[in-house]
Amino acid sequence: MGSKNTSIEDGFILVGFSDWPQLELTLFAFISIFYSLTLFGSISIIALSRLDPRLHTPMYFFLCHLSFLDLCYTTSTVPQLLINLSRLDRTISYGGCVAQLLISLALGSTEAVLLVVMAFDRYAAVCRPLHYTTIMHPHFCQALAIASWVGGLMNSLIQTGLMMAMPLCGSQLNHFFCEMPVLLKLACEGTGGTEAKMFVARVIILVFPAALIEGSYANIAQAVLKLTSMAGCGKALGTCGSHLLVVCLFYGSAIYTYLQPTTSYSESEGKFVALFYTIITPMLNPLIFTLRNKSIWTTTDFSTQTLKVMWFLKDIWCQPRLLYSAKLYFSI
């Protein structure tokens, strides 16, 4: 595999999408658009949920945390990717790589736990409606949110510590940011024991929460089937549909990336899958939670103005000026 990399000061080279130079200009333009929409969408949801008293409910409390997670997660990777695509700098220091790995793992792990908390909230709303306000007390909601963040951080610290303790052979990462599967590809031989421990940690943070969510929705499905009112069924499905779609998007891509063996992991495919869950999914989450949500659309005039501004910015970004700006970057 190569000689052991003993100098951590040299950092790493992020290959990014230099394998497909014909795609870099297009990717730069579209990623800039999607990143802007993600920022505006997530910030809008947080602002609306905080400013309107009618949205001071457990569901929107957790949605604020999810939007903040998406905001931070995409920001931890996209600026580095845009610099990489502009061909200005494809290197990252060892400390920067460790920080990026720690932050992205912490945010991703926190989201995995938070989606379980949101599933429990939906279970309480559908299956225990008369006791919902008692169960989802504000103090209990805050405790669940804190537990999500602490659990995600602990998982990240464990996996990052194990990863950085492994001897690495080489300094070229065939990716656009420092991610666990790609770093494992650089691991020298004789690290099977450490990789096994890391795999167990990934199973705990992905499979166990997914099983809990599946159990919650099994109970929700039983409760919905017992309803005789079509209006009640529609309301229950509307309440859970958005969350279930986000769960499928998140866990589908996460399980594909983190639970397959290192030997079968394709770095080329992994880069495009990573684009999906670092850029596309965070951009879609605000739309998924708001398009069919009457509480957001009818909240205040502020929400209407926010949506107008969002679409206005989208139209501006889609103008040829963005492509022109991208061409200036590539002409440097």
Side-chain angles (χ1 to χ4, degrees), residues 158-176:
I158 292 172
Q159 291 204 58
T160 303
L162 290 172
M163 181 69 250
M164 292 301 112
M166 297 172 66
L168 301 179
C169 297
S171 60
Q172 185 167 291
L173 296 176
N174 191 10
H175 211 306
F176 59 85

Side-chain angles (χ1 to χ4, degrees), residues 121-159:
D121 173 63
R122 296 300 83 207
Y123 163 79
V126 175
C127 300
R128 299 289 187 270
L130 298 179
H131 304 282
Y132 178 71
T133 55
T134 303
I135 296 172
M136 303 306 295
H137 191 273
H139 294 305
F140 183 58
C141 292
Q142 292 176 1
L144 289 175
I146 292 173
S148 300
W149 284 93
V150 172
L153 179 59
M154 292 299 295
N155 177 74
S156 178
L157 288 172
I158 292 172
Q159 291 204 58

Side-chain angles (χ1 to χ4, degrees), residues 14 54 81 90 119 219 225 286 313:
L14 297 172
R54 287 175 291 179
L81 173 58
R90 298 189 188 274
N219 288 308
L225 291 175
L313 288 178

Side-chain angles (χ1 to χ4, degrees), residues 151-325:
L153 179 59
M154 292 299 295
N155 177 74
S156 178
L157 288 172
I158 292 172
Q159 291 204 58
T160 303
L162 290 172
M163 181 69 250
M164 292 301 112
M166 297 172 66
L168 301 179
C169 297
S171 60
Q172 185 167 291
L173 296 176
N174 191 10
H175 211 306
F176 59 85
F177 75 103
C178 294
E179 193 175 27
M180 183 70 66
V182 184
L183 287 169
L184 286 173
K185 283 282 189 179
L186 289 183
C188 302
E189 298 178 1
T191 59
T194 304
E195 288 189 40
K197 295 176 183 177
M198 296 172 66
F199 183 79
V200 171
R202 294 197 295 272
V203 168
I204 293 174
I205 202 65
L206 287 175
V207 177
F208 184 63
L212 291 177
I213 293 175
E214 184 178 354
S216 296
Y217 275 102
N219 288 308
I220 290 173
Q222 290 179 355
V224 171
L225 291 175
K226 294 178 182 179
L227 296 176
T228 57
S229 170
M230 292 300 296
C233 291
K235 184 177 181 180
L237 293 175
T239 301
C240 302
S242 299
H243 175 259
L244 189 57
L245 179 56
V246 170
V247 166
C248 292
L249 291 174
F250 175 81
Y251 280 98
S253 56
I255 289 174
Y256 171 83
T257 301
Y258 287 94
L259 292 188
Q260 63 173 305
T262 305
T263 54
S264 63
Y265 177 78
S266 171
E267 294 173 320
S268 298
E269 293 179 3
K271 284 188 285 191
F272 287 96
V273 175
L275 277 179
F276 180 78
Y277 59 77
T278 58
I279 299 170
I280 305 299
T281 300
M283 182 200 67
L284 290 177
N285 284 350
L287 296 176
I288 292 171
F289 279 107
T290 57
L291 283 180
R292 296 184 62 187
N293 195 317
K294 294 181 180 179
S295 298
I296 288 286
W297 285 88
T298 61
T299 176
T300 58
D301 291 337
F302 175 70
S303 65
T304 303
Q305 296 302 322
T306 301
L307 291 171
K308 288 181 178 178
V309 173
M310 186 186 298
W311 288 109
F312 176 72
L313 288 178
K314 179 182 73 68
D315 292 338
I316 292 178
W317 272 107
C318 290
Q319 296 299 321
R321 295 176 182 176
L322 177 64
L323 295 177
Y324 177 73
S325 300

Side-chain angles (χ1 to χ4, degrees), residues 79-155:
Q80 177 75 42
L81 173 58
L82 292 177
I83 293 174
N84 189 300
L85 289 173
S86 66
R87 304 175 184 174
L88 296 176
D89 188 10
R90 298 189 188 274
T91 62
I92 185 171
S93 66
Y94 180 85
C97 187
V98 173
Q100 191 175 60
L101 177 64
L102 177 67
I103 293 171
S104 61
L105 269 179
L107 295 172
S109 302
T110 301
E111 184 165 346
V113 181
L114 184 64
L115 288 174
V116 178
V117 173
M118 296 177 74
F120 175 74
D121 173 63
R122 296 300 83 207
Y123 163 79
V126 175
C127 300
R128 299 289 187 270
L130 298 179
H131 304 282
Y132 178 71
T133 55
T134 303
I135 296 172
M136 303 306 295
H137 191 273
H139 294 305
F140 183 58
C141 292
Q142 292 176 1
L144 289 175
I146 292 173
S148 300
W149 284 93
V150 172
L153 179 59
M154 292 299 295
N155 177 74

